[in-house]
Amino acid sequence: MATIRLSSLDLGGIAEYLKSGACKSVVVLTGAGVSTGAGIPDFRSPGGLYDSLRPELITATENQRSAMRSDPTWVVMKDMFFANQLPYMEVRRPFILGTQHQKWKATISHWFIRFLEEEQFLTRLFTQNIDGLDYQTDLTRELVCNVHGSLGRVSCEGCQQEMPLDDFCVQVRKNIKDIYNVDPDAPKESSNIPCPSCSRPLVKPSTVLFGSSLPRDFFVHCQQELPKADLLIVAGTSLVVAPANQVVQMVGQDCPRLIVNKEPVGAELGIRYGSSATRDVFAGDRSCDEVFLELIRLMGWEDKLRRIRDRLPEGSQALVSAI
Ligand SMILES: [Zn+2]
């Protein structure tokens, strides 16, 4: 019989549990929803990258375009990338260049995770995001597991040789056209970027392509840390991408799980909402940032947040002013 660890299945119950001393190890899994407050589009939501993808603008064969039309995730698939690198490069161009310039700022959600580390709760952050915003909060790098890789590092899919991000961005600016129509200096036609080491056009940010295996450390951390976790926080992810979504099933039978998302997700993975819930807490109908702001308040961490107010995206600064 599993132990019931929360006094109430809401944010208040989570805060009480964190303060009780019984919760010593928190694992967090994040997705695109924690970065939308920074202005980075969520891939899967209406208006997000996949929804607004326009295959007719992408340099590809008719067959490749029709594949992208039926399933936009083709742009990040391994088979597509090895056949034609330009769909990935053209779709990612503004994200690659924006990452280089730190165009986006870490949100309240990212800072909440940093506060968890400061208070010695955080065992691991698994992030499915490739934007690298977690590092802006000075979160200890070793605590972060980039489940799907990162835009901040560049390497060759063929020979694995790394390339400095700045050198790569010079090539992206010069070789890859702008399908979003925001950069007047972009070339009108795209051409491939050869790997400086093996000359094949396979150099790209070190994000994990669909169809490739995940970094080994993901599986190691899952096995070592999830069964011992006292709390799992899942934020801003639709939990549809395997194997990252398996994280919710690898914690102990009585480990409370806080799901922060616009709609309830993970029912097919065994997360129980409403009257059948015993350990799962759903916090939705608001942005991730608003939920974490409330949790920060419940934890009495407002001063931490005020101290970093100027480092937040403008929209979030207004939220902090209200507390
Ligand atoms: Zn190479």
Side-chain angles (χ1 to χ4, degrees):
M1 180 74 185
T3 328
I4 294 180
R5 303 207 222 170
L6 298 179
S7 56
S8 59
L9 293 177
D10 55 17
L11 286 180
I14 296 284
E16 208 174 294
Y17 179 50
L18 282 166
K19 290 180 196 168
S20 72
C23 178
K24 295 187 170 66
S25 170
V26 178
V27 174
V28 182
L29 170 68
T30 56
V34 298
S35 291
T36 47
I40 298 178
D42 174 349
F43 286 7
R44 284 166 204 285
S45 295
L49 183 64
Y50 292 150
D51 188 48
S52 58
L53 188 76
R54 294 178 60 193
E56 70 276 12
L57 300 181
I58 293 173
T59 309
T61 65
E62 252 334 295
N63 277 347
Q64 289 169 344
R65 284 186 185 144
S66 94
M68 288 183 263
R69 229 168 255 125
S70 62
D71 178 1
T73 58
W74 266 101
V75 298
V76 290
M77 280 192 196
K78 187 179 178 185
D79 288 353
M80 173 71 91
F81 184 79
F82 274 82
N84 176 5
Q85 299 76 40
L86 297 176
Y88 176 97
M89 291 297 183
E90 291 171 357
V91 168
R92 286 268 194 257
R93 186 183 197 275
F95 301 102
I96 295 167
L97 300 178
T99 300
Q100 185 198 18
H101 286 133
Q102 298 210 341
K103 178 177 172 185
W104 299 286
K105 289 183 174 173
T107 65
I108 292 171
S109 307
H110 295 104
W111 281 101
F112 175 78
I113 299 165
R114 168 66 184 151
F115 301 159
L116 284 176
E117 184 195 2
E118 284 176 8
E119 298 294 324
Q120 302 188 339
F121 287 112
L122 187 69
T123 296
R124 181 70 48 201
L125 165 64
F126 293 103
T127 177
Q128 300 174 88
N129 298 335
I130 55 176
D131 54 44
L133 290 186
D134 303 288
Y135 301 115
Q136 282 186 21
T137 66
D138 306 322
L139 190 70
T140 300
R141 294 185 90 87
E142 289 71 33
L143 291 178
V144 184
C145 178
N146 286 292
V147 182
H148 295 150
S150 166
L151 280 176
R153 288 175 69 183
V154 177
S155 62
C156 173
E157 287 284 334
C159 71
Q160 318 306 325
Q161 180 67 44
E162 292 211 14
M163 180 175 182
L165 178 66
D166 288 345
D167 294 357
F168 178 68
C169 287
V170 169
Q171 303 282 321
V172 169
R173 228 173 248 112
K174 198 172 68 167
N175 285 30
I176 305 299
K177 74 174 183 180
D178 167 29
I179 59 171
Y180 303 92
N181 216 9
V182 291
D183 180 0
D185 299 328
K188 297 286 168 254
E189 306 265 318
S190 294
S191 52
N192 281 313
I193 300 173
C195 166
S197 176
C198 73
S199 303
R200 284 177 289 173
L202 300 176
V203 62
K204 67 175 243 316
S206 63
T207 59
V208 178
L209 294 165
F210 277 33
S212 296
S213 50
L214 262 51
R216 192 178 161 271
D217 70 338
F218 168 72
F219 300 100
V220 173
H221 293 312
C222 280
Q223 277 177 0
Q224 289 178 349
E225 294 157 7
L226 291 171
K228 290 185 246 168
D230 296 315
L231 173 65
L232 175 67
I233 299 177
V234 174
T237 168
S238 46
L239 287 176
V240 294
V241 179
N245 61 3
Q246 306 296 317
V247 164
V248 302
Q249 295 176 318
M250 292 178 73
V251 293
Q253 292 283 314
D254 60 349
C255 174
R257 299 178 292 195
L258 168 62
I259 311 297
V260 181
N261 200 56
K262 285 225 168 96
E263 55 278 325
V265 289
E268 66 289 349
L269 297 167
I271 295 172
R272 293 282 164 264
Y273 293 104
S275 56
S276 59
T278 55
R279 60 171 170 140
D280 296 326
V281 174
F282 173 61
D285 304 325
R286 291 170 288 172
S287 68
C288 291
D289 285 348
E290 287 166 303
V291 171
F292 286 116
L293 185 64
E294 186 180 339
L295 204 45
I296 285 168
R297 244 193 237 126
L298 289 165
M299 293 304 294
W301 293 347
E302 295 96 327
D303 279 347
K304 288 178 184 289
L305 193 60
R306 287 192 195 103
R307 276 199 287 276
I308 56 87
R309 182 180 173 276
D310 294 347
R311 297 173 68 180
L312 291 168
E314 270 177 41
S316 310
Q317 290 185 18
L319 286 176
V320 178
S321 302
I323 62 171

